[in-house]
Amino acid sequence: MLTAASAVAGLALPTGMTLVQAAPVVSPAIQGGNAGHYRFRVGDISATVLSDGLIGGPPRVYASNAPEAELQEVLRRAFLPTDRLTLNLNTLLIETNGRRILLEAGAGQTMGPQGGRIFENLAAIGLRPEDIDVVVVSHTHPDHVGNLRTADGGKAFSRAAVFAPRADWDFFVRNDPDLSYMPVPEDFRRNFAAAIKRSVEPVTNGIELYEAGEEIVPGLTTLPAFGHTPGMANFLVQSGNGQLLLTADLAYHPIVNVDRPWVPGPDRDKETALASRRRVFDMAAANRLLVLGFHYPFPGLGRMLKTDAGYAWVPVNWQF
């Protein structure tokens, strides 16, 4: 059963990774820019990927055990910079049974100035933050909860019930988390932890805590995907014969965590995370599931292909 339960100075790593105040800010529209939303259907459910923008950092952070020469070559062959890996923020809006449900709140500007675009992308499809009925986060890292707080400290999605995994809430919010496992400087870790607590302050009263494996609403089930954080969940959206699997942070970028088996540095329990990654990717490949990767190149949709060496990411064709 589901139960209710000051700004930080910006930190910049030498390679450009940043962590700044949690404050959803509507970015100015980019003249001549590309779409930040992508519509499709899952059975009878209307679904829209809403970009919250971009974050990123040193490739080594996201491929912690990669041989350096091989990592550099893989990035070059993919026509990617070798000094910074850019990650997308792909939130998902589903509309079902008269309710609008947002899966992942996004970063806001907690991890750099290129986040916080979900609000302008909601506006582009004719919606406001108060039109959202439910927000469900897979885990409580800042790039998944940053938009829960407005710049003045209010609740950004004013009407929404907010759901978070209980184990993450206990670890990150109710306690002072030990983040020594994260391959970043100590001051970044401190600000990372502070950004979490600050982002969730407006929803602390009335937060709905769930255990991975529970159904949030009909058609939306949480799946255990522990390891990256103590309570991280994946989401399975189902309607009729349609299914969509959201893999959260099981992998950051398909080039380094799917097509190559390299281990993300921010995984708290790397062995458990690896087991979760293999189990979920095997399920996705065996059942030919449509998959949404939170940090994958927008719109983040594709399928997992099982190969002799592991897995391969196959992006879907763009639907017009």
Side-chain angles (χ1 to χ4, degrees), residues 19-300:
L19 183 66
V20 296
Q21 180 187 3
V25 176
V26 177
S27 306
I30 300 174
Q31 296 299 318
N34 295 312
H37 65 275
Y38 182 79
R39 298 180 187 270
F40 63 107
R41 297 195 69 82
V42 181
D44 292 330
I45 294 175
S46 172
T48 307
V49 180
L50 296 166
S51 174
D52 191 47
L54 304 170
I55 59 172
R60 169 64 55 198
V61 170
Y62 309 109
S64 63
N65 63 336
E68 185 59 31
E70 188 177 352
L71 174 58
Q72 296 284 307
E73 183 62 17
V74 163
L75 293 170
R76 280 193 294 268
R77 287 184 178 182
F79 301 98
L80 295 173
T82 57
D83 61 343
R84 178 178 175 82
L85 192 62
T86 296
L87 306 176
N88 283 255
L89 300 164
N90 301 318
T91 71
L92 184 73
L93 174 69
I94 59 174
E95 300 179 69
T96 178
N97 297 322
R99 305 174 84 184
R100 296 188 178 100
I101 301 164
L102 184 65
L103 303 180
E104 311 289 24
Q109 298 194 341
T110 60
M111 298 189 70
Q114 291 181 293
R117 299 181 181 177
I118 189 174
F119 301 101
E120 68 186 65
N121 287 318
L122 271 172
I125 61 171
L127 296 177
R128 302 163 300 170
E130 55 265 37
D131 294 323
I132 303 301
D133 298 296
V134 177
V135 178
V136 190
V137 299
S138 64
H139 62 294
T140 60
H141 277 177
D143 51 324
H144 295 255
V145 301
N147 279 322
L148 292 175
R149 177 188 175 115
T150 63
D152 62 2
K155 184 179 178 182
F157 303 98
S158 58
R159 292 182 46 257
V162 178
F163 291 78
R166 181 182 301 278
D168 266 37
W169 195 264
D170 289 343
F171 182 78
F172 290 104
V173 181
R174 288 180 171 153
N175 295 290
D176 292 324
D178 177 4
L179 302 181
S180 59
Y181 61 90
M182 296 183 69
V184 292
E186 177 57 31
D187 53 352
F188 187 96
R189 295 173 192 157
R190 285 197 303 271
N191 288 342
F192 188 93
I196 294 171
K197 293 180 186 295
R198 194 174 54 253
S199 296
V200 302
E201 278 177 357
V203 302
T204 298
N205 293 330
I207 188 72
E208 296 278 356
L209 301 178
Y210 68 83
E211 307 284 350
E214 294 180 352
E215 183 180 67
I216 302 295
V217 298
L220 173 61
T221 302
T222 61
L223 305 175
F226 309 137
H228 180 64
T229 66
M232 191 177 83
N234 285 178
F235 302 130
L236 185 63
V237 179
Q238 302 181 84
S239 173
N241 293 325
Q243 291 186 311
L244 171 68
L245 175 66
L246 287 77
T247 56
D249 285 7
L250 279 184
Y252 279 96
H253 197 294
I255 291 296
V256 297
N257 305 132
V258 181
D259 298 345
R260 295 294 190 284
W262 294 326
V263 175
D267 286 350
R268 178 172 180 264
D269 182 336
K270 291 177 173 52
E271 289 301 317
T272 299
L274 177 61
S276 294
R277 194 154 43 248
R278 288 173 173 169
R279 173 175 47 80
V280 172
F281 286 5
D282 282 348
M283 178 185 71
N287 295 305
R288 302 175 64 87
L289 295 176
L290 182 62
V291 173
L292 174 60
F294 181 70
H295 289 300
Y296 295 7
F298 181 82

